Amino acid sequence: RALNRDELKKVLFAVRSFTGHRQTAIAMELLMRTFVRTAELRGATWNEVDWKSAEWTIPASRMKIKDAGDHVVPLSEQSTKLLQELKEIAGAAKNAPAWLFPNLRDAQRCMSATTINRALERMGFNGKDSIGFSAHGFRGTASTLLHEEGFRPEVIEVQLAHKERNSVKAAYNKAK
């Protein structure tokens, strides 16, 4: 489900005042800002982040569509600040893990697949008697609002890491 502008503002306010683990709130805000899939975010490691160029490169091996190659995510100033905060939280932990979002029960694994959706439930956006918004909805929200703002569809699709459906176009156009 894609959120409209007013709903997105409510979710952002709720995320920023979330009383659960700060890492979970940061994960939700990064989903809003980067449009990546939840598995790509949860499985992110610090060596994927290039602070100098403000880019996060997700290896093809972690992407849903592996044959499209690595996926480069430009990081806004706001996203970079969130990552810096996350780094400070991780640095305070004993034996800081390689994951951006380590599992709090087992640092050898990344954040659970259900963590973000449970947080959205706690905030009243997901689950029974809610608006039915899940973590994956951040992608649909981004796509919808960017299309409404007049951004070029092909740019939106690249940022969402969608595969070109036109096989002829995909065979010739290798641009990132």
Side-chain angles (χ1 to χ4, degrees):
R1 178 187 188 293
L3 300 172
N4 63 39
R5 281 179 176 70
D6 290 334
E7 291 170 327
L8 181 59
K9 288 176 189 175
K10 287 177 186 172
V11 170
L12 182 57
F13 179 79
V15 165
R16 289 188 173 161
S17 56
F18 181 63
T19 58
H21 293 285
R22 179 66 183 140
Q23 299 94 315
T24 305
I26 291 172
M28 289 186 282
E29 191 163 346
L30 285 171
L31 284 175
M32 282 186 230
R33 295 184 175 284
T34 62
F35 329 143
V36 297
R37 294 174 181 88
T38 55
E40 295 159 1
L41 180 76
R42 292 182 307 97
T45 59
W46 288 110
N47 65 352
E48 295 172 0
V49 177
D50 183 336
W51 296 98
K52 195 179 213 179
S53 64
E55 292 177 340
W56 165 27
T57 302
I58 306 170
S61 61
R62 290 199 322 98
M63 296 297 297
K64 181 178 179 181
I65 303 169
K66 295 175 184 4
D67 63 352
D70 295 348
H71 181 59
V72 178
V73 180
L75 297 170
S76 65
E77 184 178 332
Q78 298 93 330
S79 295
T80 303
K81 284 180 181 177
L82 289 167
L83 289 173
Q84 186 59 48
E85 181 184 351
L86 197 60
K87 187 107 174 131
E88 289 169 14
I89 292 169
K94 192 176 184 181
N95 300 326
W99 308 107
L100 269 66
F101 299 98
N103 185 299
L104 297 178
R105 293 190 183 111
D106 178 3
Q108 301 305 309
R109 296 183 307 136
C110 67
M111 177 185 277
S112 165
T114 59
T115 299
I116 297 170
N117 283 332
R118 295 300 81 79
L120 289 166
E121 280 179 18
R122 283 183 53 198
M123 293 184 289
F125 298 107
N126 193 7
K128 189 178 180 192
D129 300 323
S130 72
I131 64 171
F133 182 73
S134 69
H136 190 73
F138 287 119
R139 289 172 56 81
T141 299
S143 179
T144 300
L145 295 178
L146 291 170
H147 277 95
E148 287 176 354
E149 288 294 319
F151 284 85
R152 291 180 18 224
E154 64 273 17
V155 173
I156 297 168
E157 294 304 304
V158 167
Q159 192 55 44
L160 290 168
H162 286 162
K163 189 173 184 176
E164 173 60 58
R165 292 177 191 241
N166 180 316
S167 60
V168 174
K169 214 181 208 183
Y172 288 97
N173 185 0
K174 303 298 180 193
K176 289 268 181 194

